[in-house]
Amino acid sequence: MTQTLEALSRRDETLTSIRGIVHTMKTISAINAVPFDRAARSIEAYHRTVRSGLEAFVARTGPIAMPAVEPAESIVVVFGSDHGLCGNYNELLAEKVQAELVPTTAGRAALRVLCVGAQMNDALTGQGLRPESALLPPASADGIGRLAGSIVTRLDDIGGSEPHHRKVTLAFTQRAGRGQHEPVLVPLLPLGREFLAELADRPWQSRSLPDYSMPSAELFAALLRSHIFASVFRASAEAMVTENAARLALMQQAEQSVDDRLDEVKGQLRSVRQDDITTELLDVIIGFEALRQSR
């Protein structure tokens, strides 16, 4: 069906506006990912310092003995997005939580879910999971510490003074090879046997023996809290990096699609304009011939 010049002109203007919006969203996603990536690298350095403190603690006091009790609470902290335009980013992580964590809590207390992001809250609800609270994701890299501190405080309120009596898992999307990303579930509490064995088996590198003056229980609690904070901080930063990366990839696809459609419309517009010009020229020629014959 042949379209009029006015209809094609309006469609061309609409597609041009949409392309501008998509290009802006793509630019914002690329810019936002940079500070979150820096925050993720920075917290890795801090986390290594905390692990060094734990290694010094183990070298001074011996291997850490974890209480042989079954965790009374099972908690998962899910990091998602608060905005759309990132494809199935939230749905894939919600499906992984449903498939891998819910069966492990069968016959026990219900899985307690702490959610970050309104879009992730909707995705978890669609999987039959009811988050007991939905937190706002950080608007900038400076807000990651605020979010991590809030989550650590909530975990303290749930577990009380016994952090090992609860099972805590962090669910987020991390970067994979070749620009891809994948949803992962990272156990946080209680401390895993492999983690404790690595601390015990690693030899102390310095010639100076480690020592401390504060009570060992208080020191270990402070180191453990710092380990939890760093782990939550990294998960939040990694989630923000991959969210912006997913949005950037989607906007690139949308921009390419809009460009293809825009080229098609511009081609139709040129064709219709040429037809109109040809028709007007023929009208002039026919009118001139008719006037000449009448004379």
Side-chain angles (χ1 to χ4, degrees):
M1 180 179 179
T2 304
Q3 301 188 60
T4 63
L5 182 63
E6 293 78 10
L8 288 172
S9 297
R10 288 196 299 269
R11 181 169 295 182
D12 179 71
E13 293 175 358
T14 301
L15 288 173
T16 302
S17 300
I18 292 175
R19 190 191 185 284
I21 296 173
V22 170
H23 183 74
T24 301
M25 292 296 298
K26 185 179 75 169
T27 303
I28 292 174
S29 299
I31 293 174
N32 286 344
V34 175
F36 291 117
D37 179 55
R38 291 174 180 170
R41 293 199 300 267
S42 299
I43 200 62
E44 285 293 342
Y46 172 75
H47 206 172
R48 286 194 296 270
T49 302
V50 174
R51 289 176 63 94
S52 297
L54 287 170
E55 292 172 6
F57 179 84
V58 171
R60 174 65 174 80
T61 61
I64 301 173
M66 303 299 295
V69 295
E70 186 70 20
E73 297 281 353
S74 185
I75 310 159
V76 58
V77 184
V78 189
F79 295 86
S81 70
D82 204 41
H83 305 286
L85 299 178
C86 52
N88 58 352
Y89 176 86
N90 297 289
E91 287 73 16
L92 289 177
L93 184 56
E95 291 174 1
K96 188 175 184 67
V97 172
Q98 166 67 27
E100 298 189 16
L101 287 185
V102 173
T104 61
T105 60
R108 306 178 188 174
L111 179 67
R112 303 183 65 170
V113 181
L114 302 179
C115 171
V116 178
Q119 296 289 332
M120 178 56 74
N121 183 63
D122 295 339
L124 291 170
T125 302
Q127 292 293 327
L129 299 172
R130 299 289 180 179
E132 61 182 58
S133 62
L135 305 175
L136 293 175
S140 64
D142 295 334
I144 301 179
R146 182 267 309 166
L147 175 63
S150 178
I151 293 175
V152 172
T153 301
R154 287 175 180 265
L155 294 178
D156 287 341
D157 294 338
I158 294 175
S161 59
E162 295 296 337
H164 308 297
H165 291 177
R166 58 197 161 149
K167 180 181 179 182
V168 181
T169 304
L170 302 179
F172 58 98
T173 303
Q174 71 175 6
R175 286 167 286 186
R178 298 183 178 179
Q180 302 296 317
H181 54 267
E182 59 182 2
V184 294
L185 303 177
V186 178
L188 181 60
L189 290 176
L191 297 179
R193 295 181 179 178
E194 294 182 0
F195 180 81
L196 296 176
E198 182 180 354
L199 293 177
D201 295 340
R202 180 171 297 181
W204 183 248
Q205 301 295 330
S206 175
R207 291 180 295 178
S208 301
L209 296 178
D211 198 8
Y212 51 85
S213 58
M214 65 185 300
S216 59
E218 296 180 10
L219 177 60
F220 178 69
L223 289 172
L224 180 60
R225 184 179 178 86
S226 297
H227 167 70
I228 296 172
F229 175 85
S231 299
V232 174
F233 190 105
R234 178 189 175 276
S236 178
E238 193 72 16
M240 294 304 300
V241 171
T242 53
E243 176 193 343
N244 283 281
R247 187 173 291 110
L248 175 61
L250 190 65
M251 290 300 101
Q252 287 176 334
Q253 295 176 5
E255 187 178 44
Q256 182 62 46
S257 178
V258 172
D259 285 342
D260 294 341
R261 184 58 181 159
L262 198 57
D263 291 341
E264 180 182 347
V265 171
K266 286 185 179 296
Q268 295 177 357
L269 192 59
R270 287 192 296 267
S271 178
V272 171
R273 282 175 176 169
Q274 185 63 47
D275 290 343
D276 288 348
I277 293 172
T278 302
T279 301
E280 291 177 0
L281 288 175
L282 289 176
D283 289 343
V284 171
I285 294 173
I286 292 173
F288 174 75
E289 291 294 336
L291 182 62
R292 188 178 64 174
Q293 289 178 4
S294 64
R295 287 182 179 179

